[in-house]
Amino acid sequence: MAKSRFEYVRTYEQDTTLLPNTYIVIRLDGRGFHRFSARYGFQKPNDKRALDLMNAAAKQVMRQIPDVAGAYGQSDEYSFVLGRQCRMFDRREAKLVSTFASTFTAHYQFLWAEYFPGTPLDGSMLPTFDARAVLYPSMREVRDYFSWRQADCHINNLYNTCFWTLVISGGLSERDAEQALMGTNSGDKNELLFSRFGINYNNEDVIFRKGTILIRDMGVCTSTSDSSDAAADLGERQVKSRRQAEREEKKRQKAEVAELHVDIIGDEFWTDAGRWIV
Amino acid sequence: MAKSRFEYVRTYEQDTTLLPNTYIVIRLDGRGFHRFSARYGFQKPNDKRALDLMNAAAKQVMRQIPDVAGAYGQSDEYSFVLGRQCRMFDRREAKLVSTFASTFTAHYQFLWAEYFPGTPLDGSMLPTFDARAVLYPSMREVRDYFSWRQADCHINNLYNTCFWTLVISGGLSERDAEQALMGTNSGDKNELLFSRFGINYNNEDVIFRKGTILIRDMGVCTSTSDSSDAAADLGERQVKSRRQAEREEKKRQKAEVAELHVDIIGDEFWTDAGRWIV
Amino acid sequence: MAKSRFEYVRTYEQDTTLLPNTYIVIRLDGRGFHRFSARYGFQKPNDKRALDLMNAAAKQVMRQIPDVAGAYGQSDEYSFVLGRQCRMFDRREAKLVSTFASTFTAHYQFLWAEYFPGTPLDGSMLPTFDARAVLYPSMREVRDYFSWRQADCHINNLYNTCFWTLVISGGLSERDAEQALMGTNSGDKNELLFSRFGINYNNEDVIFRKGTILIRDMGVCTSTSDSSDAAADLGERQVKSRRQAEREEKKRQKAEVAELHVDIIGDEFWTDAGRWIV
Amino acid sequence: MAKSRFEYVRTYEQDTTLLPNTYIVIRLDGRGFHRFSARYGFQKPNDKRALDLMNAAAKQVMRQIPDVAGAYGQSDEYSFVLGRQCRMFDRREAKLVSTFASTFTAHYQFLWAEYFPGTPLDGSMLPTFDARAVLYPSMREVRDYFSWRQADCHINNLYNTCFWTLVISGGLSERDAEQALMGTNSGDKNELLFSRFGINYNNEDVIFRKGTILIRDMGVCTSTSDSSDAAADLGERQVKSRRQAEREEKKRQKAEVAELHVDIIGDEFWTDAGRWIV
């Protein structure tokens, strides 16, 4: 059997390798979740069960992939950040994005029955997710990335809260609700909720307004590296012994994954040294 | 909420787009299936239920993603070929590989209970798959790619059949079996099976020896394009009307996915015009 | 001297390798040639010396890089096509584009004095060129690429001929000439040249209207491969002996580079078997 | 003229864009300079005229491309570093490497007669250079990159000094000289030079031993950014006004390019704030 005659086809494989010493953010998005959420009767504007299920699946990803330093989720998306020194799969992009998509998908389905006990999945519409990887050379950009996603959460949730309140409590058609919100700014929307429906937006469930942050609770934070900078990280890498690295990996695996619903745009969250920095 | 202040982080996204007018092969591989198959008691050297489950999941992928022209699977891997004119996700690599990995994973888990009825999955070891995409500019290379995989199937299965026969029927330790096979060629292995165990390898189940080919059974084959060449395909694309294209897509979606276990290294399989060519 | 301590920086090198078995087109463009041509007094709308110099430099590139199958030039740009089996620099993109840019630049400057004898170059404004590589999986696309460039040559030259005739012979300001041509189609422009200036555009120098094609004059054309298709090429590659390949390379190097100014959009040019196909 | 019918070929262009906020190092290498230097009679082991010409060409590159922060050259290679905020050509890799290769080539040839007055260039062997781009996320890596090149310079020059001394002064054949040096370390080589030929290697011309560093002499160094880190740079970018940026660009263009031959592996060179950091 002339195997070798065909092996030349391997030379067509072109692995994209992610630049060393940069943070890797992998963002998953639910595929066709507009239809999916309608099919399985998700509550509007937010379904707490669905968010809890997303968070539970993401925690499992963090437990099984110790390279993940932290994560942020909202709606049907989840972003995982890998440390700049991460060597998983030799930083091959296709391996990384496909593995994260597959692992998240597996846990989401496995945990489904726990969060939607009366609603079995239908094989013709299973939950699936796509993924992408983005590189950031500095911690500043990683912070700004997560600020961007949390700002996005806020903007969407404020809009959706208004929209569905107008439809459900206000009796408007979806088209009329859309019209009513056209051109309004944040202040207008807050005012609309309060004056017409007595709703103080700031009293809405914080998980809806802020999304979910997952971090490893390492006890007293003797972080694997300080928050300073690329140069320092690099120096440290060369100094840190293999044994030390293995000890830290074990510690990370054993650490509980903590779930937070707090502001990550301001400085406070990040001043706890070492947050998401590895 | 200054969303715009953070949006610059999007400029770091670098989508790899796959070269137009080339065939895309997406290969999925089970992650850690050595341990996985041990954990769930797969039979050695081949577990018919596991192969049937792989095939069932792959068929679901083909039903839900009409861009797939055909597929080939063996062991814990599956390769899907997309036509050279495929425009799915604008040919963005990360979207493609993550979506295939996620969709296959979802169906594999969903169908698990049907193929392993007494063996529930354990959340700490769920089946997951990674994926890669490879481009081939001509049909010749696509054929050679699938020949490569089928040759690989043959070589591995012949070895595994010998190995496990020596262990299970011959009573050798795994180490001794490995030693016994070192340096043997195909002829030696066939001879060993026949002379010592009365096994004619060619009578082994054909799904083990040849793997599984999935194609769309389009009835009388008025193929979407002929088997000729890149230039012809390109010309045809410009001629083919949008309506015609939509009709063909529908036809593809409705077509039954047929499962074959035949030789795809020789010419015979490919002379049926239009096989896997889109 | 701890060399090894620093060598890790090599791991950051990420070579982009061009997909095998695809045609490579490398297009060079003059940098800032608007200013450059003004600085050195190029005649308008076309300077025959400048075009001849471009062609002379391109011929030198073809003589020194036998992988080039053919080329097309117009204005301050030149496109070189490399055969689908080309292995130069292991198809590394940066090496290829930088080498073509450097080699063309070197010959352009070296030959300058021959074509612009009274006009020495000034070190503060030397002629330089950038380059890009584009891949085409089939000969059909290579043809269409060159048709695209020749159509571009025609459109620009017709416009420029009108524009400069209006300015030079018609006495219009550049602004007025631009205004006069706004919204005109090809027919209008031909008519304008003929009715107002007695110029039959089709009698303009063919090098201005068609650009320049460079091919290797291999005598009786026993082309290195036929014009058929990717699959055939691939098969042939495996059959062709190393010695045969070397003989052909030598033949290519010895072949005269012929300069043509003909239509390459119609079929006629391409029906001579083997043109630009390697 | 149906231009649009062919324009689809543009969709095959795949520009590689270099990750934002990373340092870009572009390294040029002489093509075939072993033969080139023999053809034009370069002195061995080092030809001062050739090095001076390399440096003169590199200075011209720095004058014409203000994005270059600094450069290092040795033998027939030159490395240019662009600041992490550089936006030249929208950071398109092919444009960058081809433009640097072309610009350096143009100046090298233009200045040739000044440095090799009696040795005219021959059109069949012109000096050409290829180029590559490498990204570094932090200044630490940029430093280590240049340390790597300077260590390489030292190692090669010590070897070459021994080799050519053995050949020229010692009367050995090239083969015997190679044999004599096999397995020797730095100490052995220094000893060989001193004991057998009375040469103190440290008295060799410093340009041979250390190579050449080019920096912009900005007077009192109010560097465009401090040496701290990525985050700081980023913050600064958002604060710095457009006018300020333009003023700095002008200042950079006017600054003299200074030539140094000093150690860049130790800290001293780098503690002058702002060196090569932009």
Side-chain angles (χ1 to χ4, degrees), chain C residues 25-49:
Chain C
V25 172
I26 295 177
R27 181 169 73 244
L28 304 180
D29 272 293
R31 294 196 59 228
F33 260 52
H34 195 76
R35 275 180 65 220
F36 181 84
S37 61
R39 167 71 185 75
Y40 292 105
F42 283 19
Q43 288 150 26
K44 293 296 179 181
N46 290 289
D47 189 308
K48 184 66 162 53
R49 299 165 302 170

Side-chain angles (χ1 to χ4, degrees), chain C residues 26 58-70 80-82 86 88-89 95-96 98-104 107 216 249 252-253 257, chain D residues 31 128:
Chain C
I26 295 177
K59 279 180 205 166
Q60 287 301 100
V61 169
M62 282 186 69
R63 280 188 197 110
Q64 302 208 344
I65 307 181
D67 292 86
V68 177
F80 298 89
V81 58
L82 309 182
C86 169
M88 189 179 176
F89 298 137
K95 284 276 241 183
L96 283 166
S98 59
T99 295
F100 272 81
S102 175
T103 306
F104 192 89
H107 289 289
R216 296 189 192 276
E249 169 125 325
R252 293 166 57 76
Q253 273 181 294
V257 175
Chain D
R31 295 196 59 228
T128 57

Side-chain angles (χ1 to χ4, degrees), chain C residues 1-3 5-10 12-16 27 31 60 64-65 88-89 92-95 97-99 101-103 105-107 109-111 121-137 140-145 147-152 154-156 186 210 263 265, chain D residues 1-3 5-10 12-16 27 29 31 60 64-65 88-89 92-95 97-99 101-103 105-107 109-111 121-137 140-145 147-152 154-156 186 210 265:
Chain C
M1 180 71 57
K3 183 180 178 184
R5 179 157 57 100
F6 306 122
E7 280 219 82
Y8 79 92
V9 297
R10 295 197 68 178
Y12 290 64
E13 297 182 1
Q14 303 182 299
D15 287 325
T16 300
R27 181 169 73 244
R31 294 196 59 228
Q60 287 301 100
Q64 302 208 344
I65 307 181
M88 189 179 176
F89 298 137
R92 276 182 290 161
E93 185 179 18
K95 284 276 241 183
V97 297
S98 59
T99 295
S102 175
T103 306
T105 301
H107 289 289
Q109 183 180 144
F110 190 79
L111 294 164
L121 285 169
D122 164 0
S124 70
M125 196 180 278
L126 296 178
T128 57
F129 299 84
D130 62 41
R132 66 163 63 230
V134 193
L135 298 182
Y136 293 111
R140 174 76 253 170
E141 292 145 328
V142 174
R143 263 193 70 168
D144 287 348
Y145 173 83
S147 294
W148 174 51
R149 298 323 301 145
Q150 191 170 62
D152 185 80
H154 168 77
I155 289 166
N156 289 336
S186 290
K210 298 294 181 196
D263 177 81
I265 295 178
Chain D
M1 182 70 59
K3 183 181 179 182
R5 179 155 59 99
F6 306 122
E7 282 218 81
Y8 79 91
V9 297
R10 295 197 69 178
Y12 290 63
E13 296 182 2
Q14 304 183 298
D15 287 326
T16 300
R27 181 170 74 243
D29 272 293
R31 295 196 59 228
Q60 286 301 101
Q64 303 209 343
I65 307 181
M88 190 179 176
F89 298 137
R92 276 181 291 160
E93 186 179 18
K95 284 276 243 183
V97 298
S98 59
T99 295
S102 175
T103 305
T105 301
H107 288 290
Q109 184 180 143
F110 190 78
L111 294 163
L121 285 169
D122 164 0
S124 70
M125 196 180 279
L126 296 178
T128 57
F129 298 84
D130 62 42
R132 66 163 65 230
V134 193
L135 298 182
Y136 293 111
R140 176 76 253 171
E141 292 145 329
V142 174
R143 262 193 70 169
D144 287 349
Y145 173 84
S147 295
W148 174 51
R149 298 323 302 145
Q150 192 170 61
D152 186 79
H154 168 77
I155 289 166
N156 289 336
S186 289
K210 297 296 180 195
I265 295 178

Side-chain angles (χ1 to χ4, degrees), chain A residues 21 87 132 163 204 209:
Chain A
N21 201 27
R87 297 259 163 266
R132 64 163 65 229
F163 179 86
E204 292 293 292
R209 290 183 292 114

Side-chain angles (χ1 to χ4, degrees), chain A residues 94-113:
Chain A
K95 283 275 242 182
L96 283 166
V97 298
S98 59
T99 295
F100 272 80
S102 175
T103 306
F104 191 89
T105 300
H107 288 289
Y108 190 96
Q109 184 180 145
F110 190 78
L111 295 163
W112 174 268

